[in-house]
Amino acid sequence: MTLATTLVRIARPLVDYALPPRCPGCGAIVQEDHSFCLSCWQGMRLLGAPCCACCGAPFEWDEGEGALCGPCIESPPAFDSARAVMAYGDVARTVAMRLKYGRRTGLARLMGKHMARLLPEGEDAPRVIIPVPLHRWRLWSRGFNQSALIADDLARRTGLPVDKLVLVRSRPTRPLRQMSPVQRAKTVRGAFSVDPRRSASIRGRSVVLIDDIHTTGSTAQECVRTLQKAGARSVHLICWARVLAEHTHEWEGPGR
């Protein structure tokens, strides 16, 4: 055991007494860092099976392996799959906003912890992690890209490489919050590009694309198409939270 480890173990009880761990959803005191209180756990809707094999939209009952939802059958998404930890709601919104605008960057580790279980496995397991990028003006004003922080944590947990420079937001876009799906798609069309000097990191490889909130998917799908054109073999989207169709009107998060 190193001296640093020993000092941390000695100091931890003192720190926890002075600054006890708090629930990231409501601020209540909890036993461990980055853990939710019982009330917030009960208020969250975690997403998982049974769900659409493509977009991850929840099903009321198991419709069999490989079953697709109506929207994916009618208009197949660009991505190979999309998954989110939970449905967008009060807790998901609070955590995302505290990270993005409250500068609580440690919350990226909480998101990464839960998002890691959603990584594809088997033959299509990811070979590189890529965050949805911010335009440089937005990055300069905010000081960090929340998706990049989450991607860094996932890379640390999985040992997978992360490339934060290959996908570029080549032009700024207006906030998407009040736009319709059609307006969102039109706004982000052509807004991303791949740096040709780094394209080798994705060519022929399975990519996992990281974002915080999946609303209509316009931004993510434009990123996916850009990566595919540059040679990515497959692209899987993983998010912290997803706005379900029946709750689209509740979306209050600002756009990128």
Side-chain angles (χ1 to χ4, degrees), residues 133-144 169-173 256:
L134 293 178
H135 188 267
R136 61 180 182 278
W137 294 352
R138 188 72 56 82
L139 185 59
W140 290 339
S141 64
R142 187 177 300 168
F144 62 90
R169 195 152 196 156
S170 48
R171 65 172 174 81
T173 56
R256 289 176 162 271

Side-chain angles (χ1 to χ4, degrees), residues 53-178:
C54 183
C55 76
F59 289 151
E60 292 187 11
W61 52 81
D62 190 349
E63 300 193 16
E65 185 177 354
L68 301 177
C69 65
C72 284
I73 294 174
E74 181 179 353
S75 180
F79 47 71
D80 291 83
S81 71
R83 297 291 184 271
V85 174
M86 67 181 72
Y88 186 80
D90 290 341
V91 175
R93 177 176 58 245
T94 297
V95 173
M97 294 300 105
R98 284 179 174 174
L99 169 59
K100 190 182 294 187
Y101 298 108
R103 309 187 72 81
R104 298 277 299 278
T105 55
L107 291 174
R109 297 195 297 274
L110 166 72
M111 295 181 176
K113 171 185 174 182
H114 291 281
M115 290 165 66
R117 66 179 174 82
L118 303 178
L119 289 170
E121 298 178 346
E123 294 182 0
D124 217 25
R127 294 291 177 263
V128 61
I129 300 171
I130 296 176
V132 171
L134 293 178
H135 188 267
R136 61 180 182 278
W137 294 352
R138 188 72 56 82
L139 185 59
W140 290 339
S141 64
R142 187 177 300 168
F144 62 90
N145 176 358
Q146 69 280 356
S147 295
L149 294 180
I150 299 170
D152 282 338
D153 184 78
L154 282 171
R156 180 183 63 81
R157 293 177 185 276
T158 64
L160 293 170
V162 57
D163 193 330
K164 294 175 283 189
L165 300 177
V166 62
L167 185 62
V168 179
R169 195 152 196 156
S170 48
R171 65 172 174 81
T173 56
R174 293 181 294 119
L176 306 179
R177 179 174 50 191
Q178 302 299 332

